[in-house]
Amino acid sequence: MDGVTATGVTATARIGARGDGRGGTALPVLEGAGPLALRRTRASGAEARVMLVGAMSGPLGGDRFTVEAEVADGARLHVGSAAATIALPGQAKDAARYDVRLTVADGGELRWLPEQLISAAGSDLYVTTRIDLGAGARLVLREEQVLGRVGEEPGRLTSRLTLRVAGRTVLDQELACGPGTPGGWDGPAGLAGHRAVGQLVIVRTEFEKAPEAARVLGEQAVLMPLPGPAVLVTAVAADARVLRRILDEALTSLTP
């Protein structure tokens, strides 16, 4: 569903994945709306692939975007995006919201790998990502945020990431950057002058038998084990290209 109000655009996109009974994954629900267009792309083995395509600029001030994905037992889903998402200032003074809701049943697998979110000067965006996993679900999730386009100051960006496994909250963190956020976000205890920050969350049942130890990954990333079969990699970098390289290297080292 979607609509336009005096304060901005409201749009919700939905993806539903389930096993097709032949070893593959069907997509009985694939509903884009307004600026959130969904396209099924060529599958890879048992995995269904979906691309999120921005059909218009945004989110702008006052917009409310929501993306929901539900993966059933036996289904494998890979979701990417065609290009970076750019938060821009709008005519409305209200902050924009971008909510992501991901649900994966026991025995399902989701790879959520969108392109970067860029916080342009003058924008104000609140992003929430909420993930609910069954006990035996598998997940790879990447979030990348870039503060400002080349040569400009960032907008205001607040990002909250929550992960629940088998009903237990194993991660709940929030990061606020840019003008108007609490002081220190760009200091030594924060981003330390870097303009790109990212997270990689990996949930695999193998981590229960062979848990990863907390450790530093090079000079700009750290790995933290989470309760249960999960790990979190957090990285900072000077730009999006370097950030992607760091997170890709971490992903390769942590997955077969």
Side-chain angles (χ1 to χ4, degrees):
M1 61 182 175
D2 64 290
V4 179
T5 69
T7 58
V9 175
T10 299
T12 300
R14 296 185 176 90
I15 308 168
R18 60 172 176 78
D20 64 4
R22 303 186 302 274
T25 299
L27 296 175
V29 179
L30 194 63
E31 302 173 353
L36 302 173
L38 299 172
R39 301 287 184 266
R40 182 165 189 168
T41 61
R42 185 180 297 276
S44 176
E47 181 182 76
R49 295 197 171 201
V50 173
M51 192 70 68
L52 181 61
V53 181
M56 58 187 290
S57 297
L60 308 178
D63 289 350
R64 301 288 186 270
F65 294 174
T66 303
V67 180
E68 301 173 352
E70 184 172 352
V71 183
D73 180 12
R76 297 179 61 188
L77 176 65
H78 180 130
V79 179
S81 59
T85 297
I86 304 178
L88 297 166
Q91 293 183 346
K93 295 182 179 180
D94 296 340
R97 288 192 63 101
Y98 200 127
D99 299 316
V100 177
R101 303 288 179 259
L102 309 176
T103 304
V104 186
D106 189 6
E109 180 174 341
L110 173 63
R111 295 173 65 85
W112 188 267
L113 301 169
E115 294 301 308
Q116 298 90 356
L117 169 62
I118 300 173
S119 174
S123 65
D124 187 356
L125 176 64
Y126 188 82
V127 181
T128 64
T129 302
R130 189 178 67 207
I131 311 151
D132 286 283
L133 304 181
R138 301 169 73 91
L139 172 76
V140 173
L141 177 138
R142 182 184 67 215
E143 285 192 344
E144 298 169 308
Q145 293 145 2
V146 180
L147 305 180
R149 293 170 291 192
V150 176
E152 75 173 6
E153 292 298 310
R156 178 173 178 169
L157 175 63
T158 305
S159 175
R160 183 170 182 177
L161 174 61
T162 306
L163 170 65
R164 289 167 55 87
V165 179
R168 178 188 183 189
T169 299
V170 301
L171 175 66
D172 191 350
Q173 68 173 24
E174 184 171 286
L175 176 67
C177 303
T181 58
W185 67 269
D186 200 24
L191 301 187
H194 295 92
R195 283 296 178 264
V197 58
Q199 296 75 231
L200 183 67
V201 178
I202 304 175
V203 180
R204 301 175 62 229
T205 54
E206 291 84 349
F207 289 148
E208 289 185 315
K209 297 179 180 179
E212 295 286 333
R215 60 185 183 273
V216 174
L217 304 177
E219 297 182 355
Q220 297 168 240
V222 63
L223 181 148
M224 289 294 296
L226 301 174
V231 298
L232 169 69
V233 176
T234 302
V236 295
D239 57 40
R241 179 185 60 82
V242 175
L243 179 66
R244 176 64 60 84
R245 177 178 57 78
I246 293 170
L247 294 179
D248 281 351
E249 289 174 355
L251 179 59
T252 299
S253 70
L254 291 167
T255 56

